[in-house]
Amino acid sequence: PAGAEGDAVGAGMLRCAAVLPCPALESVRAMAFDPHTRYVALAGTDPQGRQQLRVLDISRVVTAGGNAVTVARQTSAGWDIDCLKFSPWEEQQLVTCGRENIRFWRLKDGHLPGCSLSLGSRVRCTHYTCIAFECTKAGRPYDAAKYELSKETGRHHMFVGNCRGQLLQIGYKDRTVQVVLDLHAEAITSVCATDGFVVTASIDKYVRVWPMDFKSSYLHAMHDSAVAGIDITPDGLQVLCCTIDGAVGLLDLHTHGYSDLAHSHGAAIADVAVSVAFDEL
């Protein structure tokens, strides 16, 4: 709807902490918080149908009752965004993906200069759907010392899924596609990663858990409908799964058991996430 708004919900009390008006956007397609929850990034379209990427400073919204301030924005009709994530290794850095593109962005002087990842023949008619970084939730964001140590080894990887059921492993430092993995029969809808394993979800109704060499999945769960979203619990022992028909469940990586949590949603579920601070979903 015109004048799209985003609601920040206070966990635990389930109260609206703030309303962030976005009058320049007719619709919002993706959003993400940075690791310190200082910024929120929004991707959407304006009334002219152009794609907009905006970053808002929300540091004073909850703590002091202030307003969100737009600190950077970019407008273009030449790229498409369906998913965006802040980098866990470098401050004020973003990665986005969408139809025929994967892009890196950085906040600089109120602007968002960006560059595209070279995809070669993988660009044509391919929609990139989801992004994950090889790091744990318990890790410290922007750990400069750890990042500098691993620059030579190239251990920092990110993963991007696409509509063909493939997962791209990308070197974060050199921004190159290292390998393309065929993991699902249909589009990958969500991906999560730690420094020990990767979890993928797909329209083919499967959630699969993979070792870092991706030789074979060592655990999977089949659902009654397409899987819309997944998230790994902070302890790394369970995977939260949600499907488009409204079901929510937990896959236990230790016991290999699966627990149904809810079937009560009256409409399709778009995504799911685990709260690190409040131990809720």
Side-chain angles (χ1 to χ4, degrees):
E5 296 182 345
D7 288 349
V9 178
M13 295 178 64
L14 293 178
R15 63 180 181 85
C16 178
V19 176
L20 309 180
C22 306
L25 297 180
E26 189 171 69
S27 65
V28 176
R29 296 174 62 181
M31 67 172 289
F33 293 96
D34 78 309
H36 291 312
T37 325
R38 178 181 176 183
Y39 299 108
V40 61
L42 304 172
T45 53
D46 64 17
Q48 287 74 44
R50 298 172 301 180
Q51 185 83 49
Q52 281 205 23
L53 178 62
R54 305 174 72 91
V55 178
L56 284 69
D57 185 335
I58 59 170
S59 58
R60 294 180 56 83
V61 170
V62 176
T63 58
N67 297 320
V69 179
T70 298
V71 294
R73 64 179 179 179
Q74 185 65 269
T75 302
S76 174
W79 36 263
D80 176 79
I81 295 176
D82 273 332
C83 180
L84 60 88
K85 293 285 180 71
F86 278 91
S87 167
W89 300 308
E90 293 182 292
E91 289 193 72
Q92 300 183 359
Q93 305 278 332
L94 282 160
V95 183
T96 66
C97 68
R99 186 181 66 252
E100 299 183 345
N101 79 93
I102 301 170
R103 291 179 62 85
F104 293 82
W105 309 83
R106 62 191 178 99
L107 278 70
K108 183 180 180 181
D109 301 326
H111 298 283
L112 282 164
C115 63
S116 295
L117 181 74
S118 178
L119 294 167
S121 61
R122 307 178 191 92
V123 170
R124 191 175 300 276
C125 300
T126 302
H127 205 117
Y128 296 94
T129 56
C130 50
I131 301 167
F133 298 92
E134 184 185 346
C135 62
T136 63
K137 288 187 175 183
R140 290 183 296 165
Y142 312 139
D143 190 333
K146 181 178 179 181
Y147 181 62
E148 290 294 329
L149 282 172
S150 62
K151 273 188 175 181
E152 299 302 320
T153 64
R155 288 183 54 197
H156 284 68
H157 300 126
M158 53 175 286
F159 303 95
V160 179
N162 69 22
C163 64
R164 303 175 186 269
Q166 298 172 324
L167 189 71
L168 278 63
Q169 179 177 296
I170 298 166
Y172 181 81
K173 176 192 172 186
D174 57 14
R175 297 180 181 177
T176 58
V177 179
Q178 298 175 337
V179 65
V180 180
L181 304 147
D182 292 299
L183 303 185
H184 288 269
E186 298 185 66
I188 294 177
T189 55
S190 186
V191 58
C192 292
T194 71
D195 52 7
F197 61 91
V198 177
V199 187
T200 56
S202 171
I203 289 176
D204 67 9
K205 305 179 183 179
Y206 278 96
V207 170
R208 292 192 169 107
V209 184
W210 306 87
M212 298 310 294
D213 59 12
F214 290 94
K215 289 183 178 179
S216 177
S217 64
Y218 57 78
L219 184 60
H220 69 262
M222 183 178 181
H223 297 78
D224 294 330
S225 61
V227 184
I230 52 174
D231 196 17
I232 300 170
T233 55
D235 59 12
L237 299 178
Q238 295 174 305
V239 179
L240 181 67
C241 313
C242 70
T243 62
I244 61 171
D245 66 358
V248 180
L250 269 178
L251 175 63
D252 193 301
L253 303 183
H254 178 65
T255 66
H256 295 188
Y258 190 91
S259 304
D260 291 314
L261 299 181
H263 289 279
S264 57
H265 287 278
I269 295 177
D271 202 356
V272 64
V274 178
S275 167
V276 178
F278 293 92
D279 201 21
E280 297 175 338
L281 61 91

